[in-house]
Amino acid sequence: MARTDDDTWNPTSVEATATLAATARAVATKRGLISDPFADPLVRAVGIDFFTRLADGELDIADLGDDFVFGTMTDLLAVRTRFFDGFCADAGIAGIGQVVILASGLDARPYRLWWPPGTTVYELDKPDVIEFKTQTLRSLGAAPTANRRAVGVDLRQDWPAALRRVGFDASRPSAWIAEGLLIGLLPPDAQDRLLDNITALSAAGSRFAADHGASQAQAGYDPALAARWRQHGLGIDMSKLTFPGEHNDVAEYLAGHGWETVDTTLADVCGITGLPGLWRGQRADAPVASSYVTAVRVGQARNARGR
């Protein structure tokens, strides 16, 4: 059944896609592609057997067959992780002291990255995801490396008001991350509203980064792919993850609303992040975005401190 604007389905539920991405990061960490020490324990805490066996190495990706999508996902999510980690580092070097991570899922950037003193990182996601991640990391004795402020809210609702309530200051430059979100996981009008709200909340010199563009997740999947997932005990139908309808190109939309944008192909991002060997041509069934956009809010003040 197709998704609707007012449905209650959770695209970043702990039980499904957030755990899928965390499992890919856990495997990529074991392969030395990235460093995410919290991915494996978070996957274990979720408790889905298939994901746990993959994260533990008990089930090897090679055992799943050459046509299994997870092998490609591991490579490309490692690239994606490096890209956004680098974006955060660059924002910190530029003096930006508040970072907003939209649909943060089970990634633990406020815990696993080094942040300049005084940095505040806001994490936004559905309340159940925020609560699960917060409690699990607390049970592990993990401490944030930044001033973490977690906001449990549906991004189709009034998330700007929720963000302001926990201290976000729209008069200061900010850095925004929309990772794995703008590939159809919001209705077309909600995606535009999200970008409009980000623009309204962004002082001159603010930065934005997202992966976006044509993806098989948005285009739909061959039923055979869902059948392959089910063979390994995973009942996720990727064709039901996204909203139908024509979505505006993110880079073009931002460029028309006061941002200077740079759009980069996935192949080039593999090279930029130091993992060019992982690019072997985008798989037809890989649920990844085809482009990455970075943007800077235009205004009289062009640097992070507004001078």
Side-chain angles (χ1 to χ4, degrees):
M1 182 174 64
R3 297 199 62 193
T4 61
D5 288 6
D6 59 351
D7 65 13
T8 57
W9 183 89
N10 185 356
T12 54
S13 71
V14 169
E15 295 78 13
T17 55
T19 312
L20 175 64
T23 305
R25 288 193 298 271
V27 174
T29 295
K30 286 183 170 62
R31 292 172 57 195
L33 299 175
I34 63 172
S35 177
D36 184 350
F38 300 108
D40 183 85
L42 282 165
V43 171
R44 289 173 179 267
V46 173
I48 297 177
D49 182 65
F50 171 75
F51 288 136
T52 301
R53 287 187 293 134
L54 272 174
D56 286 347
E58 178 184 338
L59 180 63
D60 193 286
I61 293 174
D63 297 336
L64 303 177
D66 291 339
D67 62 346
F68 193 71
V69 69
F70 194 82
T72 299
M73 284 186 62
T74 298
D75 288 351
L76 298 184
L77 287 181
V79 170
R80 192 174 84 177
T81 298
R82 281 201 182 190
F83 175 84
F84 287 107
D85 286 358
F87 173 81
C88 291
D90 290 344
I93 291 170
I96 294 177
Q98 54 183 6
V99 178
V100 184
I101 304 176
L102 302 164
S104 60
L106 294 183
D107 193 274
R109 286 191 175 93
Y111 296 83
R112 65 178 179 79
L113 297 183
W114 178 86
W115 300 92
T119 302
T120 299
V121 180
Y122 300 89
E123 288 194 291
L124 278 64
D125 212 315
K126 291 287 191 66
D128 61 335
V129 178
I130 291 292
E131 178 67 15
F132 176 85
K133 180 166 64 176
T134 300
Q135 294 302 326
T136 300
L137 291 172
R138 182 177 296 152
S139 72
L140 295 170
T145 53
N147 178 19
R148 176 182 182 252
R149 298 184 183 177
V151 183
V153 65
D154 189 319
L155 292 177
R156 293 173 289 174
Q157 299 171 351
D158 189 5
W159 60 266
L163 187 60
R164 287 191 182 97
R165 282 196 296 270
V166 295
F168 179 83
D169 183 357
S171 69
R172 297 170 52 210
S174 51
W176 301 84
I177 294 175
E179 179 180 7
L181 175 64
L182 303 182
I183 57 171
L185 293 183
L186 292 170
D189 59 339
Q191 176 173 300
D192 291 348
R193 284 197 306 273
L194 180 85
L195 297 176
D196 290 343
N197 283 325
I198 290 170
T199 298
L201 293 168
S202 295
S206 293
R207 301 184 179 195
F208 174 85
D211 53 327
H212 74 104
S215 71
Q216 295 304 313
Q218 188 167 335
Y221 279 72
D222 189 307
L225 177 62
R228 290 202 298 273
W229 288 89
R230 286 194 297 272
Q231 287 174 5
H232 297 282
L234 191 63
I236 299 178
D237 184 351
M238 294 291 183
S239 67
K240 293 182 171 59
L241 292 182
T242 59
F243 285 93
E246 188 70 23
H247 290 71
N248 284 316
D249 180 87
V250 175
E252 291 179 2
Y253 193 88
L254 289 173
H257 289 78
W259 296 80
E260 292 182 347
T261 63
V262 176
D263 210 21
T264 308
T265 66
L266 177 56
D268 287 340
V269 169
C270 289
I272 291 168
T273 56
L275 298 172
L278 297 187
W279 177 254
R280 295 184 291 274
Q282 187 171 345
R283 288 276 300 268
D285 55 2
V288 296
S290 60
S291 299
Y292 284 67
V293 60
T294 54
V296 177
R297 187 77 168 97
V298 176
Q300 291 183 348
R302 303 305 297 274
N303 64 25
R305 291 178 177 82
R307 292 197 299 267

